[in-house]
Amino acid sequence: LNEKRDGLLWAPIENFERGEIYRDGCLTHMKKLTPWNERNVLYMGDHIKNDLIDAVKHWGWRTCAIIKELEDAVKCHNSIEYRKTLSYFEKIYMLSGKASRELP
């Protein structure tokens, strides 16, 4: 990764170096460059089909999905407004069940 942030360096690599960051590229080429077995790799990707399924299906690697939308969902679910609304609807749900059991 070009740390100067003035553009990516697009040059083929022949090996991976400890402490370096690599992005983009090809999963097949990465597999050719590494002797790692499936327990030594955590492959991170943001595309289910192209990144994650192939890594598991073909090489048995563990995977981690990067999901941008999840950040917004977590913020929402941790908000006070959401928790109050959820609590309110849970109470209604429980009361409606209690009421239906008391009917003849």
Side-chain angles (χ1 to χ4, degrees), residues 9-103:
L9 300 177
W10 296 100
I13 59 169
E14 298 301 321
N15 56 22
F16 291 111
E17 295 180 28
R18 183 178 293 275
E20 291 297 317
I21 300 170
Y22 302 94
R23 60 173 280 179
D24 298 321
C26 172
L27 185 61
T28 304
H29 185 65
M30 181 179 167
K31 178 63 178 165
K32 288 178 184 176
L33 292 175
T34 65
W36 304 328
N37 67 36
E38 60 276 359
R39 283 179 266 144
N40 294 337
V41 176
L42 174 60
Y43 190 80
M44 301 173 80
D46 62 354
H47 192 276
I48 299 294
K49 167 76 175 81
N50 293 339
D51 293 335
L52 306 177
I53 291 176
D54 288 348
V56 172
K57 183 177 174 183
H58 296 296
W59 297 296
W61 291 354
R62 295 174 298 142
T63 57
C64 174
I66 300 171
I67 304 170
K68 174 66 176 145
E69 295 81 11
L70 191 57
E71 181 179 354
D72 294 335
V74 169
K75 284 180 186 176
C76 174
H77 285 236
N78 286 333
S79 72
I80 297 298
E81 181 181 348
Y82 177 85
R83 290 176 184 223
K84 285 181 179 178
T85 303
L86 182 62
S87 178
Y88 175 77
F89 283 112
E90 286 176 341
K91 288 176 186 173
I92 291 173
Y93 178 78
M94 291 177 75
L95 289 171
S96 69
K98 182 177 179 184
S100 66
R101 285 190 302 272
E102 293 176 357
L103 293 174

